[in-house]
Amino acid sequence: MSTSAARSTLAETLSDITTGLVVDPSDTFGSLSAVVAASTELLPAVAAGILIADPRGGVTVLIASNETAQFIEMLQAQYEQGPCLDCVTSGQLVRSDDLTQEDRWPDLAQAARDAGYTAVDAIPLRLGRNTLGGLNLFYSNDTQASDDDLLIGKTLADLTVLALTQDIPTHREALFTRATLNALNDRVLVGHAIGMIAGTLNLTPDAARLRLQHHANATQIPLPRLAAAITDRRLAPGELATPSH
């Protein structure tokens, strides 16, 4: 991709995310979906996920770009080890350029290698002096992010925080709690719908996720609302629009 085309893609993607934040600030899950999608479109990462400090305690997976990344993110929370946990504790960028040589989180590193990831970056989600979670970028084939890539990653992390803390500047932490719980509920709902689609249409979970996302984009229906229609059986999986590629 030429420099001009790359800049155009960057500008268009960031514009789409910020426009979504302005036009419909209530669609937190949609904004977060756009962030993880942009992480793999704009950066050399093959997958991305967001781990967040759960208002109920501990950390939890808010969203991931695919099922494999979501599994690795869930392992970080289960093992209580990994780049994002260190990122939340330190409030700093945490990098692992070679997971085969990683000894800070042996169990997590092994699972990530088994999933095909060779490196990972965890970018802090910061609100004031607090670190609320991390944006995790997973790489394969010895690909690493440049300084410019990490700057874009930080921008995406900041947009994540904005998505979770909109509308009431003086009550941002209360809004963060409510938005986080809503997004977690939406993630469970979308996951249930993906399972129903995969089972009904004999698709892999990633193919089912793609089918659901494609239909949401084609119809301009928010992903959680579309997922609810699937789980409530108001819309049959076979009625979803089929991606053209």
Side-chain angles (χ1 to χ4, degrees):
M1 183 182 296
S2 68
T3 301
S4 176
R7 287 178 177 173
S8 178
T9 299
L10 172 62
E12 182 176 352
T13 301
L14 294 181
S15 175
D16 287 346
I17 295 173
T18 53
T19 296
L21 292 173
V22 172
V23 173
D24 189 0
S26 67
D27 187 14
T28 304
F29 194 82
S31 296
L32 299 180
S33 297
V35 165
V36 293
S39 298
T40 59
E41 292 168 1
L42 301 177
L43 305 174
V46 295
I50 297 171
L51 268 182
I52 209 76
D54 192 322
R56 298 164 294 190
V59 296
T60 192
V61 183
L62 202 55
I63 193 170
S65 60
N66 59 43
E67 299 300 315
T68 303
Q70 180 163 304
F71 174 69
I72 298 301
E73 295 287 62
M74 291 174 67
L75 287 182
Q76 287 200 72
Q78 178 181 332
Y79 291 156
E80 297 185 344
Q81 65 170 237
C84 196
L85 277 295
D86 290 357
C87 172
V88 171
T89 300
S90 68
Q92 303 296 320
L93 169 71
V94 175
R95 308 198 71 181
S96 180
D97 295 333
D98 184 356
L99 286 171
T100 64
Q101 303 297 319
E102 187 55 69
D103 58 7
R104 288 173 289 181
W105 337 287
D107 295 334
L108 190 283
Q110 181 64 56
R113 293 197 302 269
D114 291 344
Y117 301 132
T118 58
V120 62
D121 290 325
I123 302 173
L125 305 179
R126 296 188 58 81
L127 177 60
R129 297 181 179 179
N130 298 322
T131 302
L132 308 178
L135 171 63
N136 298 288
L137 306 173
F138 298 96
Y139 309 94
S140 64
N141 301 323
D142 300 321
T143 301
Q144 295 182 9
S146 66
D147 289 342
D148 286 344
D149 290 331
L150 291 176
L151 184 59
I152 294 172
K154 181 181 181 301
T155 300
L156 293 172
D158 290 341
L159 287 172
T160 299
V161 175
L162 288 176
L164 292 167
T165 56
Q166 284 214 91
D167 277 350
I168 311 174
T170 58
H171 298 90
R172 289 185 300 175
E173 291 191 6
L175 181 60
F176 165 77
T177 297
R178 185 166 66 252
T180 296
L181 292 176
N182 287 340
L184 288 171
N185 290 335
D186 286 344
R187 191 256 294 172
V188 171
L189 181 64
V190 170
H192 187 192
I194 288 171
M196 291 179 65
I197 295 166
T200 302
L201 302 181
N202 195 27
L203 299 173
T204 66
D206 281 341
R209 178 191 291 269
L210 179 63
R211 183 75 62 92
L212 185 67
Q213 184 66 65
H214 174 76
H215 191 89
N217 293 341
T219 59
Q220 296 297 299
I221 298 174
L223 200 59
R225 189 185 305 169
L226 180 59
I230 294 290
T231 59
D232 292 347
R233 303 187 186 281
R234 289 179 283 116
L235 180 69
E239 298 179 65
L240 295 173
T242 304
S244 57
H245 56 82

